[in-house]
Amino acid sequence: MATQTSIEEFSVLQAEMKEFSAQIERKLTEKRAQLISEKQEHYIKVNELRSEEARLQNDITNLESKESKTKENLRGALEGLRAQRDKVDELIRKQEQLVDQRNELQQLVSELQKSIQESTHELERSEKSLTTQIRRDYPELLKFEQYLGLRIEAVSIDLIRFVFTNIDTNDFDREFWIQVNVGSETYKVGPSNPEVSPEQLTKLETDFNAHKELVRFLKAARNLFKEMA
């Protein structure tokens, strides 16, 4: 009885061992299958990560290239802006120079206009003085013209030529003349024909500006020509 019981217990134990072994085998099989699956998933994941890494690296390379081009374009734009700014500064300097030149020219024009006005007034005074003197000396001038062969010629607006004849006893028609410039504050005497020496011209001019008498000047000039005839 005891032996039969032991056999039965052994059979039960053997059956349990087989069942346990089968369970162990199933678990090992499942574990191997799981490991294989996980390994495959790992390989797939690694490949995906490597592909993603390659894609990201390519994106980084493209971004670096774009960054380099952007920096280059930015440098070019900045250089262009600097060049434009320099050009604008140069134009501003030129404009300021032109303004200064315009102001200087306006100042010169004002001074020139003032000088012209002063010269005009002086000329008017000289003309009035000469006109007054001619009117005063008109009778004497008539005598010069009638008896001493005097002729008055207007060479220009400011230049008068006094022509004498009846001086040379060998040729009464021979002309002697002397010019007087009345366009300034003082009379300018000369040139003459025949030529009077510079010293004599200076004396005639100095005396004429001192006494302002036309007839007296003409007499002095005629006397000089008589000495030269």
Side-chain angles (χ1 to χ4, degrees):
M1 187 69 176
T3 302
Q4 186 177 358
T5 301
S6 297
I7 292 171
E8 290 177 355
E9 290 178 353
F10 178 75
S11 297
V12 171
L13 180 61
Q14 188 176 22
E16 290 178 354
M17 287 296 294
K18 287 181 179 179
E19 180 65 23
F20 179 74
S21 296
Q23 290 179 358
I24 293 297
E25 185 65 26
R26 284 195 302 271
K27 289 182 178 181
L28 289 175
T29 300
E30 291 175 357
K31 191 66 175 177
R32 282 196 296 270
Q34 183 180 359
L35 288 174
I36 291 171
S37 177
E38 289 178 354
K39 187 175 182 180
Q40 289 177 345
E41 290 178 357
H42 174 72
Y43 287 151
I44 293 172
K45 189 67 174 178
V46 168
N47 289 333
E48 290 177 351
L49 290 174
R50 286 177 178 173
S51 297
E52 182 68 15
E53 180 185 11
R55 185 184 65 79
L56 292 175
Q57 187 62 42
N58 185 59
D59 290 343
I60 290 173
T61 302
N62 291 333
L63 288 174
E64 288 176 348
S65 177
K66 290 180 180 179
E67 181 184 12
S68 177
K69 290 181 180 179
T70 301
K71 288 181 178 179
E72 185 66 26
N73 292 335
L74 181 60
R75 281 195 296 269
L78 290 174
E79 290 177 359
L81 288 174
R82 281 194 292 268
Q84 290 180 356
R85 184 181 63 188
D86 293 341
K87 188 174 182 179
V88 169
D89 292 341
E90 180 65 21
L91 290 174
I92 291 174
R93 284 194 295 270
K94 288 184 178 179
Q95 183 183 18
E96 291 174 349
Q97 291 175 356
L98 289 175
V99 170
D100 292 339
Q101 291 177 358
R102 183 192 63 187
N103 293 335
E104 291 177 0
L105 289 175
Q106 287 178 342
Q107 180 66 26
L108 289 174
V109 168
S110 298
E111 293 176 357
L112 182 59
Q113 289 176 343
K114 182 179 179 181
S115 177
I116 290 173
Q117 289 177 352
E118 292 176 352
S119 298
T120 301
H121 294 330
E122 184 61 35
L123 179 60
E124 290 175 352
R125 286 194 297 270
S126 297
E127 289 177 348
K128 288 179 181 179
S129 175
L130 183 60
T131 300
T132 301
Q133 185 175 347
I134 289 175
R135 287 176 179 175
R136 185 187 63 208
D137 296 336
Y138 184 69
E140 292 290 333
L141 290 175
L142 283 178
K143 292 179 182 179
F144 266 84
E145 290 181 357
Q146 292 174 359
Y147 303 113
L148 301 178
L150 172 66
R151 186 173 75 253
I152 301 175
E153 298 176 350
V155 179
S156 66
I157 189 172
D158 297 328
L159 192 61
I160 298 175
R161 178 181 294 166
F162 298 98
V163 183
F164 300 93
T165 56
N166 297 333
I167 291 178
D168 190 347
T169 56
N170 296 319
D171 184 2
F172 288 105
D173 293 329
R174 180 185 175 188
E175 293 185 349
F176 297 75
W177 56 262
I178 190 167
Q179 294 183 167
V180 178
N181 191 314
V182 297
S184 60
E185 185 176 357
T186 58
Y187 299 123
K188 304 294 182 182
V189 178
S192 67
N193 184 35
E195 291 186 3
V196 178
S197 68
E199 294 79 8
Q200 290 172 321
L201 278 179
T202 300
K203 187 176 187 309
L204 277 175
E205 182 177 295
T206 302
D207 292 344
F208 191 16
N209 283 297
H211 56 65
K212 304 290 185 181
E213 296 180 14
L214 180 59
V215 172
R216 187 173 172 182
F217 164 74
L218 293 175
K219 288 180 179 179
R222 182 179 175 83
N223 289 333
L224 278 178
F225 287 140
K226 286 181 68 175
E227 293 175 0
M228 299 172 65

